[in-house]
Amino acid sequence: MADADLDVVIRQLARQLHTGLMTRAKERRDRFNGLATKAKGRETGERFKMMAKATMEQATAAAKRLQMSADNVADSYARSMRLAASTPVAVEKKAKEKPEKKAKAKKAKAKKAK
């Protein structure tokens, strides 16, 4: 995984979170449906069924938002890495030249001081 691109890692983590979120939502839905069957009154049973349905709707919406956000982040990272790889190397040469000039200036100052 050390050699893997981070955009792939981001997508894998989002997939794991999506799976965990949907698993927990299904557990909660099943709990509400169980309470609905055990309910003594019809209105109470209907309310638990509505809560179960709302739980799944909310979890599905959250999972979609999570997946879209992860895809956007992964795409953005991949795009920035492609741009960074395509930039010219001339930027690095300028950074290397400046320390050499400073070193020459220090040598010149040292000679003048003697």
Side-chain angles (χ1 to χ4, degrees), residues 79-93:
R79 190 178 324 112
S80 66
M81 288 297 106
R82 280 194 306 271
L83 286 173
S86 67
T87 56
V89 183
V91 176
E92 293 178 12
K93 289 182 181 178

Side-chain angles (χ1 to χ4, degrees), residues 34-47:
L35 290 173
T37 58
K38 292 178 184 178
K40 293 181 181 178
R42 180 179 174 149
E43 292 178 9
T44 307
E46 290 295 322
R47 188 177 29 190

Side-chain angles (χ1 to χ4, degrees), residues 27-68:
E27 289 173 1
R28 182 160 292 185
R29 178 198 61 192
D30 294 341
R31 179 175 173 267
F32 285 136
N33 282 333
L35 290 173
T37 58
K38 292 178 184 178
K40 293 181 181 178
R42 180 179 174 149
E43 292 178 9
T44 307
E46 290 295 322
R47 188 177 29 190
F48 281 127
K49 285 181 183 179
M50 287 175 47
M51 288 172 66
K53 184 178 177 182
T55 298
M56 283 308 293
E57 289 174 357
Q58 294 293 324
T60 303
K64 284 181 183 178
R65 287 192 302 269
L66 174 72
Q67 190 64 42
M68 284 191 325

